[in-house]
Amino acid sequence: MPPFPIDRYLLPETPVEVPDGFTEVRQNLTAGLPHRVELGDGVHAVLILPTGLARQWLATDPLAVVSTSADDLTPRPAPPAAAPPPALVGRVPLRLVVRHGTRILGSVPLAAGLRRVCPDAGAPTTTTAPPIAVEVLVLTWLLHAGTVRGSGDYGSSIAVAWRRADRAVDQFGPPPINEFVWRRRPPAQRVESELGPARLRYRYLLDKKLRRVLR
């Protein structure tokens, strides 16, 4: 059965699993930030933390945890109804800037389990070079304040996985079932739901011979 669309909004698996076809890259952050992560095929990612607050980091304990993927992988209880909204600066804006040579393909915020294709299919292009696209999966990371300040081994690390996303596949699934055919099936043999403000429709036939998804 195809994955239900709401899966993308749930907590990722602990730990995040690397799908087939992805290459895992793990590095210790010993050179400070920004840090360059070599992926392959001339593609690399640069880990950056835009804060503009140098004095704050100089006064912080070098072993203090600035950001960690464990925060994304730990379930949290629902806040009380009268709880104040979270602070806008409660999470540092760590990002991976994905580049092919000197060309910027895209930017990926650090969130455990996040998968993003760079460049986005709808992004405009300003170059005539042959296009290259990669998909990046954020696995885990741990960033200490000393790494933000400069070079040194403070126990910081990052793990990502990636794959080329501009190559054709050799496996093809059945085409979506026609909406009118789906509606003619008995109600007991069909499932339908809508998700989000965009009203993404998920339709599924329980008949194995006519099992299709219509989005």
Side-chain angles (χ1 to χ4, degrees):
M1 179 176 179
F4 197 68
I6 201 173
D7 285 349
R8 73 189 70 176
Y9 299 105
L10 302 179
L11 282 174
E13 297 292 336
T14 307
V16 180
E17 295 184 357
V18 180
D20 294 337
F22 280 75
T23 301
E24 183 177 349
V25 178
R26 294 181 176 270
Q27 289 189 1
N28 294 325
L29 309 179
T30 58
L33 295 183
H35 179 85
R36 177 168 172 149
V37 181
E38 295 291 344
L39 300 179
D41 290 347
V43 179
H44 66 273
V46 180
L47 178 64
I48 62 173
L49 175 59
T51 64
L53 303 174
R55 182 174 298 179
Q56 169 187 334
W57 301 114
L58 293 175
T60 303
D61 181 0
L63 297 181
V65 176
V66 176
S67 180
T68 173
S69 56
D71 293 339
D72 288 352
L73 301 175
T74 303
R76 297 182 178 86
L88 296 178
V89 295
R91 179 168 178 150
V92 294
L94 274 172
R95 307 188 72 84
L96 282 170
V97 178
V98 183
R99 303 175 54 170
H100 180 224
T102 59
R103 176 190 175 193
I104 296 178
L105 300 180
S107 178
V108 182
L110 256 62
L114 175 65
R115 290 174 58 168
R116 178 162 295 181
V117 176
C118 301
D120 184 88
T125 179
T126 58
T127 179
T128 58
I132 181 174
V134 297
E135 184 174 9
V136 177
L137 167 62
V138 181
L139 298 176
T140 60
W141 73 90
L142 176 61
L143 179 65
H144 292 276
T147 305
V148 180
R149 289 164 47 176
S151 59
D153 190 356
Y154 299 98
S156 302
S157 61
I158 186 173
V160 299
W162 77 285
R163 71 177 182 93
R164 288 285 297 267
D166 54 359
R167 295 174 177 171
V169 298
D170 56 1
Q171 297 180 357
F172 302 91
I177 188 172
N178 186 278
E179 178 180 358
F180 299 101
V181 175
W182 181 87
R183 293 190 179 279
R184 294 181 62 181
R185 303 297 297 176
Q189 296 183 5
R190 65 192 192 197
V191 179
E192 180 179 23
S193 62
E194 293 182 355
L195 176 66
R199 301 177 67 86
L200 173 65
R201 290 186 174 181
Y202 178 87
R203 290 172 178 161
Y204 181 73
L205 285 178
L206 301 183
D207 187 339
K208 293 184 179 180
K209 295 182 179 180
L210 296 176
R211 186 174 297 173
R212 301 288 189 274
V213 175
L214 176 61
R215 291 185 174 87

